[in-house]
Amino acid sequence: MVLLAVACGKASDIKETTEPGVSGAAPAVSGTDLVASAIQKGGCSACHVIAGIPGAVGVLGPDLSNISEVIPERIDSGAYTGEAKTVEEYLHEAIVNPDAFIAPECPTGTCQAGLMPASIGTSLSSEEIQAVIDYLVELPELVASGTAVVGEAAVAGEAPVLTDEEFVWAKQTFFERCAGCHGTLRKGATGPA
């Protein structure tokens, strides 16, 4: 079963698959594949720029490419209202309880409460969450060394071929996860078309 990105028109970004109708099933992967799979599964690349992640060019949420360098300043500033004391705790909190602290700047202005779905934290396993946290913590160093690329590069090509069962699953998943922001006909609403 092709993941949600097919429903959102990003079939070229898909690397791993799950069984039809099994919401949140994680593929058996490890290392950098686990990072790429978790970011794909969480839909992170739809809203965030994340260096090294193919297709992670989102324009709704903050750029995460240097987030591990921004967090200490944010925690020390006094404006931070969450519970985290470390970069790792902050990132964990941002995934499992995204409204604990609303980042002050998004690409289109002030970030909004509720923009990042709280369900992302429950859809990812603890191993997937930790893999994403570890990647984001190390990301500035990985970018500097030129080793930040994980997963396969996105390549434009033919549209994927879906079985009828996969198409029904993709439509339902889009309706449940995407349509609230992007509209039931994908023409846009609070999110872009």
Side-chain angles (χ1 to χ4, degrees):
M1 178 74 231
V2 178
L3 290 174
L4 177 61
V6 167
C8 295
K10 291 187 174 182
S12 62
D13 294 343
I14 301 302
K15 180 173 168 112
E16 300 293 334
T17 60
T18 61
E19 291 299 317
V22 180
S23 177
V29 292
S30 62
T32 58
D33 286 341
L34 181 59
V35 172
S37 174
I39 287 174
Q40 182 67 43
K41 180 178 169 185
C44 311
S45 59
C47 296
H48 298 283
V49 170
I50 310 170
I53 303 297
V57 293
V59 295
L60 297 178
D63 183 332
L64 300 180
S65 298
N66 68 341
I67 192 68
S68 66
E69 295 174 345
V70 171
I71 291 170
E73 297 168 13
R74 195 170 281 165
I75 290 174
D76 293 342
S77 74
Y80 172 66
T81 57
E83 309 257 334
K85 304 288 186 235
T86 66
V87 171
E88 290 83 359
E89 289 174 359
Y90 180 102
L91 290 168
H92 187 271
E93 180 180 71
I95 295 169
V96 301
N97 186 10
D99 285 343
F101 175 73
I102 307 302
E105 295 179 17
C106 282
T108 58
T110 305
C111 297
Q112 302 171 16
L115 187 61
M116 182 168 156
S119 63
I120 291 173
T122 59
S123 68
L124 298 175
S125 70
S126 59
E127 292 82 14
E128 290 169 322
I129 291 171
Q130 190 59 51
V132 171
I133 291 169
D134 291 345
Y135 182 73
L136 293 175
V137 166
E138 297 174 15
L139 190 52
E141 292 176 25
L142 295 172
V143 169
S145 69
T147 59
V149 177
V150 300
E152 296 176 7
V155 177
E158 295 181 30
V161 177
L162 300 176
T163 66
D164 290 341
E165 186 178 56
E166 290 171 335
F167 184 70
V168 167
W169 179 87
K171 281 185 7 183
Q172 184 63 33
T173 302
F174 178 85
F175 180 76
E176 291 171 357
R177 293 185 179 179
C178 308
C181 294
H182 302 286
T184 56
L185 300 176
R186 299 181 315 224
K187 293 184 178 182
T190 57

